[in-house]
């Protein structure tokens, strides 16, 4: 019941921003936001316990101007458990066998060649990239106290404003940084 109320609140907020809201009405379709990686050029959709082929097909039907490719996700919660965008052409990816296998699948399915930032810890690869006009490239990433070795890799991104965020409490319930965010690219006069 609480999730339905939350979903309605988000829907209303998006409508108040005059954004087009598309609802999946197919009861057989599932699509978890944690399984959707938008690169700015195309979508990769993780097929997991939370997302199925029908959900990916509805996403493809909704965003006809973009390629949509599916990536099997077996050993983790969802696709963004081990990868996300860390820049306009940069995929942050974990080092596990499952993460590297998913990356290989994405590379085979794409006509574009992305740069990759390989992190020792899969969970640290879940980061949030923002391109803020007054700040430039901003990257929210897991803090050194969470993943010290991965934090050292992020520090090599000299062109980014890095904002380390501790996430140990939310991680206890599989909450990643991207799970706690809803990014909207819209200029508005709020």
């Amino acid at each position: 019941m609480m999730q339905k109320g939350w979903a309605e609140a988000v829907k209303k907020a998006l409508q108040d921003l005059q954004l087009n809201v598309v609802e999946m009405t197919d009861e057989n379709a599932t699509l978890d936001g944690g399984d959707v990686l938008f690169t700015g050029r195309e979508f990769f959709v993780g097929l997991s316990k939370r997302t199925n082929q029908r959900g990916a097909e509805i996403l493809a039907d909704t965003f006809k101007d973009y390629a949509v490719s599916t990536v099997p996700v077996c050993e983790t919660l969802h696709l963004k458990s081990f990868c996300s965008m860390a820049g306009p052409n940069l995929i942050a990816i974990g080092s596990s066998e499952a993460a590297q296998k998913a990356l290989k699948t994405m590379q085979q399915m794409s006509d574009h060649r992305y740069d990759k930032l390989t992190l020792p810890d899969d969970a640290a690869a879940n980061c949030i990239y923002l391109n803020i006009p007054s700040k430039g490239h901003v990257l929210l990433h897991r803090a050194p106290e969470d993943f010290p070795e991965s934090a050292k890799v992020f520090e090599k991104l000299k062109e980014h404003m890095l904002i380390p965020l501790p996430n140990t409490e939310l991680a206890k319930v599989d909450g990643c940084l991207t799970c706690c965010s809803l990014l909207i690219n819209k200029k508005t006069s709020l």
Side-chain angles (χ1 to χ4, degrees):
M1 183 68 113
M2 186 169 154
Q3 189 170 6
K4 184 173 172 99
W6 179 86
E8 288 301 315
V10 170
K11 178 181 173 184
K12 182 182 180 324
L14 295 174
Q15 289 171 333
D16 289 349
L17 289 169
Q18 299 177 343
L19 295 171
N20 185 26
V21 176
V22 177
E23 294 186 60
M24 287 192 332
T25 56
D26 185 333
E27 292 181 11
N28 296 314
T30 59
L31 184 67
D32 185 299
D35 281 317
V36 179
L37 179 65
F38 181 59
T39 69
R41 296 175 178 272
E42 61 193 313
F43 288 94
F44 293 107
V45 179
L47 298 179
S48 68
K49 292 178 183 173
R50 295 184 177 194
T51 297
N52 63 17
Q53 184 65 40
R54 184 65 189 126
E57 290 167 359
I58 291 172
L59 182 83
D61 289 344
T62 303
F63 295 97
K64 294 181 187 304
D65 292 344
Y66 295 97
V68 176
S69 302
T70 58
V71 181
V73 175
C74 302
E75 298 174 25
T76 188
L77 185 61
H78 48 62
L79 183 63
K80 288 186 187 170
S81 294
F82 53 67
C83 74
S84 59
M85 296 308 293
N89 192 50
L90 181 63
I91 295 178
I93 188 76
S95 296
S96 72
E97 185 178 332
Q100 291 298 309
K101 185 176 178 181
L103 177 65
K104 186 175 182 180
T105 299
M106 291 187 286
Q107 289 170 329
Q108 290 171 344
M109 294 186 158
S110 180
D111 292 334
H112 183 72
R113 291 292 148 235
Y114 296 96
D115 296 325
K116 68 178 180 175
L117 179 70
T118 304
L119 299 158
D121 308 286
D122 280 7
N126 181 279
C127 55
I128 300 172
Y129 168 74
L130 306 165
N131 186 3
I132 300 175
S134 62
K135 304 286 184 199
H137 301 291
V138 177
L139 190 66
L140 310 176
H141 66 90
R142 296 290 294 271
E145 57 264 31
D146 292 351
F147 296 107
E149 294 306 310
S150 289
K152 290 177 187 173
V153 175
F154 283 119
E155 289 168 6
K156 295 177 184 175
L157 298 174
K158 300 298 183 192
E159 70 282 2
H160 287 60
M161 173 189 287
L162 300 173
I163 302 175
L165 298 171
N167 194 49
T168 50
E169 290 304 308
L170 282 172
K172 292 176 183 176
V173 292
D174 295 323
C176 299
L177 294 180
T178 59
C179 298
C180 305
S181 63
L182 182 58
L183 303 178
I184 298 171
N185 186 13
K186 180 173 174 70
K187 292 182 180 169
T188 184
S189 56
L190 291 177

